[in-house]
Every structure is written in C-alpha cells, then in structure tokens.
C-alpha cells in the first residue's frame, strides 16, 4: 500500500533585524547586559533582601497551623523566583552551547516555553557584537533578482490540515529576449537568460544528522564563507514553492530536501549549477518568394499558389556553447536547459530539391530563430507574413488539457479513431459527448505528432544502419520549425546522421521540419518514454524522457495540481504514437482510466502488487538481454526489434511511497536491462528529477533548468474522456448502416473526364482546386470553409458556419471578410448566399467527389450489372478521408457524422463490387475493389475477411498467409485495443490451421 512519509522537523536560524553595524553592536551589548543582570543581579537582590532560598532551621509541625506572617509569604514568593531563575539559567546554558557548536537546534528544556525563546533571542542578539565588529555585509551578486510580487490567496492542504493564508507568488525577472519590433520584450520567461547565457545556482537542504538540522546560516557559511549572509539566500527564495508544497516564509524554518537558490558567488560540493542559454547565436534572414505554377487542363487554366521560402543564415557571432551540470568543486554549468524556439516561416513545407527552392544546410551554429537576440546584442527582425490567417484556433488557446497540449490531444484523438475502427468517425451513441470531442480535436495537432514519431523512428533506423549507438536524450523541443533533442551532457555521443545537425557543442541534435520523413517509417521507436510535460514561455512543446532519470521522477508542490499533471503524462504515454508496447501501471489514483487504453494501461490499489507484476513482465527483458549480450534494453530495442518484448513499463504512484518501497522502485528504474520508469505524485528526497508544480500548473525542475506551463487532465476531464471512449467502442460494435440519400443537387456535367470549374475532393485528403488567386496565409482557412459547405447538402446559416469554423467565437466583420476571401478564390458564381442568408456551393459549378460517389452508388442499385457505376465511384477514393488535417481545425467533424457515413458507403461499395465481380469470375476487379476499400478504411474487418476468402479462392496457402499477416498488422495499427473480432480469428483458423497470430501491440 502507498504510504506517505512523515514530515521532517523544521530547522531554525536566529533572526537578525536589519540595521547598521553600530546599531547591531548596541543591541548586542544591551542583550549582554541583560544576561549579566539576570544571571548575577537577580541572585544578589534575592540574597540581599530575602536571604537564601532554603530555611535557616528545620520546620516543625506547629508551623503548618500557625498564622502566616508577611515575612513567610515573601519567603514563599522568593522561593519560586529562585526556581524560575534557575530554570532560565539552564535555558541560557543550553542556547549558549548550541551557539558555540555553530549549527543545529538546542536541546529542548522541559517546561522551557517562553523562557527558552527569550534565552534564544538574547544569545542570538549577543552574537551581533561580533557581526558588527567586522565589515558590513556584502551585497549578493545574484544572477537574477526577484521582481514585484502580486498578492494572491493561496490554499494549501498538508495531510489533514487545511491552511489558507494570503501569500505572495513570486517569479523571477522576465527575459529580455527580443521579438517583434524594436523595443518590445518577450514576457513570461520565468528563468532569466540572454544570448550569453546566465548561471543559476541551487542546493538542497541536507537531512538532519542526529539533532543537528541544516539552516540558512549553515548554508551561507558552507557555500558563501560567511553565515551572516543568510539574509541574501532568504531574499532569493522568499515565498518560492518547494517540492513538499510549502513556501519559504520564515528564515528560521526550512525543511530537508528543499531546493534553495544561491547567490552567484556560491561554490563548493553540493552546489548545482544550471546555465540558462539559447543554443545558437546567428541571424536568420528569411525571404519569402512566391511562385505561381499553372495547371493546364483541356477546359481552362487553373492556378495553384505554392509558398516557397528561401532561408539564408548569416553568422553574427561565435556560438556560446553551454557547459555541463554538475555538483560543484569546479563550476561547470548545465547544458540541460529547455531553450526557446520561434516559428520559422516555410520550414514546415520547404524541402530540398524542390524547384526554385534553395535551402542552405542547417550546419552547427547556424540558423537563428527570429525574435531572439543575435550575437552582439543586435535584434533579429521577424519575417513579414504574406497574409494573416483569418481566424482559426490558436493551438495555445485551444489547449483544453493544459497550455497547448497538442501532442497529448493528438494521441487521444488517434486512439479515439482506432477505438472506432472501421467507422472512423462518431456514431449516434457519441452524440452526448460531442463537446468533449470538439475540444479534443481543437487541441490536437496530429501532423506534428506524426512528424515527431516518424523523425525519431528514422533516426533510430539510420543510427542502427550506421552501427552507431543511440544518444541518451534528456528532453526534446517541438516547434513548427524543428525537433530538437537535448542530450545527456555527461554522455559521449556520436555524430548524428543527416539531415540531423549537432549544435551547442554536440549536446543538441536538431532536425528542421522541412527535412523530416515524408511518409510513415516502419522502424522501432527509440524513445518510448518520451512524454510531454508542458510548454515553455517561448511556445515550444517540451518533452522529457523518463527513462533517462534512472530513478523516481517526483512531481511535488501543490498536491492536486501535481496529480493532474501526472495524470496527463499517464494518458499520453498510454495513447501516443511512439510508446508502442509500453504498459502503464497507475497505483492509488481515484479513478480507473484503463478503458482509455485497455492493453496499455492498468489500475492498481496496492503498490507492492504493481511492482511484483512489473518485475515479472520485465524479467523477459532481463533474460533476453543476457542471451543477446546486450548492455541495455535501449540498445537491444534497436538491434533486435520486438515491440512486445522491449516495451517500457511505467509506474505512476499517487503519493510518496515508504522508504523501503522507494529503494525498490529506484533499483528497478536504475536497471538498464529492464525498461522501467517511475513517476510519483509528491516529493521524494532521493529522486534524481524533482519537479515542483504550483497552483497555476507551472512545473519547475530547478536542477535541470526547466520551467514550463504544464499540461494537466483533471478528474472531470478524465470522466468525460472515459465516457467518450466507451461510447466510441459501443458505436464500433454497432454495424448497422445509415440510409445513404441521393445528393440534393443534379449535376449539369457528369463526365468525369472533363474538369469542373471548381473541384472539391473529400474522399481522401481534403483538396480544393479553384481558379482564383488567394494569399498563402488564407488557404488553410478557406479550404476548411469549402469543405464544410461541401458536406452540407442544403446550405448553412452564417451563424452556424461561424460556430463550426470558429467554435471559440468571431466577430461578424471578420467572419464576412473570411467568407468574401473564400468566395473570390473559388469564384463569385461558385459560392453564394441565398435569399434567406444561407451560404452554399453552386453544385453546377463546384464538383464534390462525395456527391458524385453517392450518385453513382445509388445508380448501381438500379441496374442489373453494378460493376460500371461502382468502379467509377471507387476510382474517386484517393486515400484515407480527412487525413493530414492541420492542428486545431475541422472540429465540426465531431458533430457532422460525415466520417462514418463515408466509411459506410465506401465499405459497402467495395463489398458490392467484389461480389458482382466474383459472380462474373473477375478476380482482378474484386481484388482492386477490396484494396480500394481498405485504403480508405484499413480497420474494416468485413473487407479483410472478404480479402481472405478471395485469396483462398484464387490463390495459394502462401497468398492467404500473406494476407493474414497484412491484416493483423493493419488491425494492430488502426484497429481497436480489444483485438480482432472472434469471426475474423475463426476464419483464419479455418483457412490456415495452426497459424501463429502475432502478439497484440497497441
């Protein structure tokens, strides 16, 4: 069972008021006189006027019944004064001994109370005599100073105690990174840095040794050489949130394990130094070049505008290479710092080898992201965009699961699509969860997730082919411009394969997005525990590799916020693309989330049960490494690919385990021949990576120089997601087809050999071929508007259209402007508003392939031989529908239902054509029909079963075996987590007795 450690006692430090050295000496002498007066003066007065505290003669029985005199009463009072004086002297002696020893708490005197507090203050004030005799206290030369704090009400819960106080949430000074026009600064960077890099130093409060507790005085004495400089340390750390959820508000009270920031001149063993810097320092001068290519058809010329970007890099100064992070003896700053990145116009689309495109190599030390200071302090100008985007959803604003949680939401969106299987889109049972799915689609950026996945897989494949070891990755940065891997500075890394480039003295590898793989890469994922933790202040998505920690990764700070952040990590690892084969064990959390990914996520109540199961499953990895003489799972994963064998085990624990359990978890995580990672909600003192999460979901790992706006999923969102996935699974099991109606418009020209003035393709990646001219920046939005209108048979009211395209709202002026731009692009006669104000496409001018498909499919039901119309209809299919959609758009698909209707129609058409072709003994047509249907819906088991029967009828056993292998691979990638249907497995067993089905890897 998960147990929470008892909190450690607080250390104390004598407080010292501010003042001049003369005032300090005066206070010290006054305190010394007070001590002398109490220690010597009180006994003298008592002896002089009351005599000794003991009686002159033995008391008799008669004294108990005799009348009390004034002398007797005064004698009794004097006796108690003697006792109080003696008790105070004992307190003074105890405090003096503690002060002479130099550190730690004094022993607690029985019944000390206020007497010991007074004695402590008097002894501490006497120390000021020595403090005032020296030079004045030096001023701390801190790297950054604390900015003004904004008061806020903070409610913090510790155990069963609830404390609500008015505190100050303090952040470090904002960065001076330049962006935009001259004079503007980028605000929100909570770790100050400039182009030269700055050094930030931290240490951790030591655990107690016996009765001696670490304190700020000891820390100042240890690392600054002067205990009296503790005030500087206190000022640097005042009101900063600590891993255990508390804040430093009193210099007398610090706890073991707290991370304390130090002035810049601190040095010595135990000082952790982090250099916060920007990787490369050269100027990028992007120039935008637009070329217009003419696409000629027999009817009329059409123009397609393509955006070409030339990037020229001009070195401005010699790169400043970051150093290493280490414990001090010799100061070596860290290079493990999550830097900044800005958008690079055209980097997403430009590829080498394209006509009229010249892209110079992204060599080490070249290329600088606009908006950052270049070498020598000059400002890097931003590129002027060709045209502004009319609306749309900002990915950062759309992050309903945190700040710009694009990769987290992308993994969930793809997992939801796999859960629906053949249906691809929402069915009738998902109607009650449309708002959750709309938010999910708004937040997701599937193309970026695919770029990261394919790039990492291609890197692993290239390194294996070159027989080079994979680098050890600490973190990764993902932007619209590039993917950057932050490597372990302690490791020795080989040269990266092209087009990857090594920068920052080889401690970072970067890949421009335009150079990424153009298609899917069939290779193992080298970093399955890479997971998004949040977004930094410069807009880059930050991922960390849990496996690199080699121990517990702790998320302390505000408990509820930390639990929500850790929950987002678990959900992403259970659904993302590059964590195939990974298994997540959630221990002690409030809700069972296993239905989100049944094969990759499990729920446990007891930690020891989870550890036993993880150790049992990872035992196969240990034995396999020994058989193959592999030094680690990371090495064997690339040389001997097997996603089921080398899948990572990640344990998420809802509260700090006991010390014995911590030791077991650390041993499991440190074993390189077992791929095990551990994440804990709460602070763990011996954790190599300790994150602090505050009430605003800002996560900081101070000793790595990492600070982000963290992603989080709260319990309400968990419940909505679970309900959405359950409804999706129920819809996938419902094979009933909806009635496919004829399109609402008759076509003036059904001859597909002749081009239409405007063509809209929906049966595959969305494409619009229009005759007008439009700015590149407006194409994405206008394409979505046309696609939405093409999915509506009878037009749509402008308010409904605005709610679909701009779900977060837009003004009427901007809406009408965007519609007008789109109308000029496709032609004023192709798109119009009728008398009632409903916008629609003129189907006599605009040809939509989905309309043509439905018309032909309906015609096929009215003729004796449907092969002609169905073959023509299936020829319109050109890939998976609604694929490669831009991030943050097309959220209206969650409510339209067109995805499911398309899948139903294409699957039915493929099956009907195959049956008709087989009735005429035409195996080639039947095979082509089924393959076309599978290209559109690769998870349709009806199509796969028909393909198996077709292969058994016309082919050999080898052909059937080949089809079965392709089927299981496709269902593993695109199908639901429950595996194939029982009917599919039964057919395979009938056609291929004894066939060995591959292991299911989600």
């Amino acid at each position: 069972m998960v147990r929470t450690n008892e909190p450690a006692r607080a250390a104390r430090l004598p407080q010292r008021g501010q003042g001049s050295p003369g005032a300090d000496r005066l206070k010290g002498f006054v305190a010394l006189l007070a001590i002398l007066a109490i220690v010597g003066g009180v006994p003298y007065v008592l002896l002089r006027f009351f005599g000794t505290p003991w009686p002159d003669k033995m008391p008799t029985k008669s004294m108990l019944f005799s009348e009390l005199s004034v002398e007797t009463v005064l004698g009794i009072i004097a006796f108690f004064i003697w006792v109080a004086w003696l008790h105070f002297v004992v307190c003074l002696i105890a405090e003096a001994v503690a002060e002479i020893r130099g550190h730690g708490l004094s022993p607690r005197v029985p019944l000390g109370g206020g007497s010991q507090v007074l004695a402590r203050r008097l002894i501490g004030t006497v120390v000021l005599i020595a403090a005032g005799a020296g030079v004045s206290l030096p001023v701390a030369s801190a790297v950054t100073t604390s900015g003004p704090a904004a008061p806020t009400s903070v409610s913090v819960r510790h155990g069963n105690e609830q404390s609500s106080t008015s505190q100050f949430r303090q952040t470090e000074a904002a960065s001076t990174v330049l962006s935009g026009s001259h004079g503007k600064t980028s605000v929100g960077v909570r770790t100050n840095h400039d182009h030269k890099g700055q050094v930030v130093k931290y240490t951790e409060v030591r655990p107690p040794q016996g009765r001696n507790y670490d304190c700020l005085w000891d820390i100042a004495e240890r690392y600054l050489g002067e205990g009296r400089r503790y005030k500087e340390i206190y000022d640097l750390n005042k009101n900063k949130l600590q891993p255990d959820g508390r804040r430093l508000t009193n210099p007398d009270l610090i706890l073991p394990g707290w991370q304390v920031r130090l002035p810049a001149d601190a040095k010595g063993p135990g000082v952790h130094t982090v250099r916060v810097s920007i990787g490369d320092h050269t100027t990028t001068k992007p120039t935008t070049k637009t070329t217009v290519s003419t696409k000629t058809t027999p009817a009329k010329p059409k123009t397609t505008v393509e955006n070409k970007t030339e990037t020229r890099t001009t070195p401005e100064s010699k790169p400043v290479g970051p150093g290493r992070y280490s414990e001090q003896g010799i100061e070596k700053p860290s290079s493990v710092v999550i830097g900044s990145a800005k958008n690079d116009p055209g980097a997403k689309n430009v590829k080498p080898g394209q006509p009229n495109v010249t892209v110079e190599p992204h060599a080490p030390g070249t290329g600088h992201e606009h908006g950052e200071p270049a070498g020598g302090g000059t400002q890097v100008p931003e590129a002027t965009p060709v045209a502004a985007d009319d609306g749309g959803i900002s990915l950062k604003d759309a992050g309903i699961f945190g700040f710009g949680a694009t990769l987290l939401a992308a993994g969930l969106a793809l997992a939801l699509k796999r859960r629906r299987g053949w249906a691809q889109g929402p069915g009738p049972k998902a109607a009650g969860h449309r708002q959750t799915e709309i938010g999910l689609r708004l937040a997701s950026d599937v193309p970026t997730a695919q770029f990261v996945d394919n790039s990492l897989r291609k890197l692993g494949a290239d390194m294996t082919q070159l027989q080079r070891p994979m680098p050890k990755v600490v973190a990764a940065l993902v932007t619209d411009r590039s993917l950057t891997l932050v490597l372990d500075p302690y490791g020795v890394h080989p040269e990266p394969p092209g087009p990857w480039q090594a920068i920052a003295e080889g401690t970072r590898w970067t890949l421009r997005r335009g150079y990424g793989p153009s298609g899917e890469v069939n290779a193992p994922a080298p970093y399955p525990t890479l997971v998004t933790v949040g977004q930094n202040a410069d807009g880059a998505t930050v991922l960390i590799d849990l496996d690199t920690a080699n121990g517990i990764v702790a998320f302390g700070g505000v408990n509820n916020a930390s639990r929500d952040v850790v929950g987002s990590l678990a959900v992403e690892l259970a659904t993302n693309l590059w964590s195939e084969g990974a298994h997540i064990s959630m221990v002690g959390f409030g809700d069972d989330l296993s239905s989100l990914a049944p094969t990759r996520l499990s729920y446990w109540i007891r930690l020891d049960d989870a550890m036993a199961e993880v150790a049992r499953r990872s035992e196969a990895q240990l034995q396999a490494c020994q058989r193959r003489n592999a030094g680690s799972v990371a090495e064997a994963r690339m040389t001997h690919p097997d996603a089921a064998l080398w899948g990572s085990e990640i344990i998420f624990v809802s509260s700090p385990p006991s010390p014995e359990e911590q030791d077991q978890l650390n041993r499991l995580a440190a074993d390189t021949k077992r791929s095990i990672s551990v994440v804990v909600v709460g602070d763990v003192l011996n954790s190599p990576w300790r994150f602090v999460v505050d009430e605003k979901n800002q996560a900081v790992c101070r000793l790595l120089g990492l600070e982000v706006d963290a992603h989080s999923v709260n319990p309400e969102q968990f419940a909505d997601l679970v309900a959405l996935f359950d409804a999706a699974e129920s819809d996938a099991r419902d094979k009933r087809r909806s009635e496919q109606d004829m399109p609402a418009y008759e076509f003036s020209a059904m001859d597909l050999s002749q081009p239409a003035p405007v063509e809209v393709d929906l049966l595959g990646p969305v494409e619009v071929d229009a005759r007008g001219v439009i700015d590149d920046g407006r194409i994405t939005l206008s394409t979505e508007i046309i696609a939405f209108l093409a999915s509506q048979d009878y037009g749509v009211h402008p308010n409904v259209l605005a709610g679909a395209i701009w779900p977060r709202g837009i003004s009427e002026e901007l809406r009408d402007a965007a519609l007008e731009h789109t109308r000029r692009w496709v032609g004023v006669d192709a798109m119009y508003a009728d008398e009632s104000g409903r916008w629609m496409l003129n189907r006599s001018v605009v040809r939509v392939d989905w309309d043509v498909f439905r018309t032909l499919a309906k015609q096929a039901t009215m003729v004796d031989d449907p092969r002609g119309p169905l073959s023509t209809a299936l020829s319109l299919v050109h890939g998976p529908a609604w694929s490669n959609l831009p991030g943050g758009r097309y959220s209206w698909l969650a409510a339209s239902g067109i995805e499911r209707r398309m899948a139903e129609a294409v699957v039915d058409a493929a099956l009907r054509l195959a049956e008709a072709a087989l009735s005429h003994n035409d195996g080639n047509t039947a095979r082509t029909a089924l393959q076309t249907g599978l290209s559109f819906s690769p998870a349709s088991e009806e199509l796969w079963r028909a393909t198996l029967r077709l292969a058994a009828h016309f082919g050999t056993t080898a052909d059937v075996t080949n089809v079965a292998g392709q089927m299981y691979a496709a269902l593993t990638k695109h199908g639901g987590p429950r595996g194939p249907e029982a009917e599919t497995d039964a057919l395979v067993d009938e056609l291929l007795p004894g066939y060995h089905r591959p292991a299911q890897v989600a």
Side-chain angles (χ1 to χ4, degrees), residues 18 146-147 149 168-171 216 231-242 247-251 258 260-261 702:
Q18 296 181 351
S146 299
F168 289 87
R169 186 178 178 280
Q170 197 163 357
T171 59
L216 293 184
K231 185 62 175 176
E232 302 171 25
I233 302 176
Y234 174 69
D235 290 339
L236 283 174
N237 296 276
K238 185 178 180 180
N239 291 314
K240 294 295 179 65
L241 186 67
Q242 294 296 331
R247 297 178 187 268
L248 177 58
T249 57
N250 188 335
W258 279 14
V260 178
R261 174 133 175 223
R702 296 185 175 108

Side-chain angles (χ1 to χ4, degrees), residues 469-673:
M470 290 297 295
K472 194 172 185 180
V473 171
V474 175
L477 294 173
V478 181
T479 67
D480 287 340
R481 175 182 184 269
S482 63
L483 167 64
T484 301
L485 302 180
V486 182
L487 309 184
D488 182 5
Y490 286 142
V492 178
H493 307 294
E495 288 294 321
W500 287 83
Q501 297 290 338
I503 60 176
E505 295 183 346
T507 60
R508 293 192 181 199
W509 290 4
T510 185
L511 175 68
R512 291 174 63 88
R513 188 153 184 171
Y515 290 81
S518 57
E520 293 186 3
V521 179
N522 185 18
Y527 304 111
T529 58
L530 198 64
V531 62
T532 308
V533 69
Q535 191 175 60
N536 68 7
D538 299 292
T541 300
V542 181
L543 299 90
I544 59 173
D545 193 352
L546 300 177
D547 194 43
T548 306
N550 290 327
I552 296 175
V553 180
F555 282 80
V558 179
N559 195 47
N560 289 337
S562 300
R563 182 173 286 106
D564 293 346
V565 171
V566 169
S568 75
L569 303 183
V571 170
E572 180 175 339
L573 287 169
T575 57
N576 68 22
L577 293 173
W578 51 88
S579 295
E580 61 179 2
H583 189 272
I584 291 84
S585 301
M586 300 188 70
V587 184
F589 287 82
D591 299 317
D592 185 358
L593 307 177
S594 57
S595 60
L596 294 179
T599 60
R600 288 170 61 169
L601 195 152
S602 59
Y603 179 79
W604 299 86
I605 298 177
R606 294 176 56 87
L607 178 56
D608 51 358
D609 294 339
M611 285 192 296
E613 178 63 19
V614 168
R616 184 191 65 79
R617 282 200 300 261
S618 61
E619 186 67 24
Q621 296 178 348
L622 179 63
Q623 297 176 3
C625 285
Q626 294 172 350
R627 289 195 304 268
R628 294 171 170 82
N629 294 322
S632 65
V633 170
E635 175 187 340
R637 182 181 288 124
M638 305 310 300
T639 56
H640 302 84
D642 189 338
L645 174 61
W646 307 119
S648 295
E649 297 282 347
I650 306 101
I651 305 175
F652 289 87
V653 189
S654 63
S655 63
S658 66
E660 296 79 10
E661 291 168 337
Q662 290 179 23
D663 292 339
Q664 296 179 47
L665 291 171
N666 278 319
R667 284 196 300 270
L668 288 174
D671 190 348
T672 58
K673 294 185 179 181

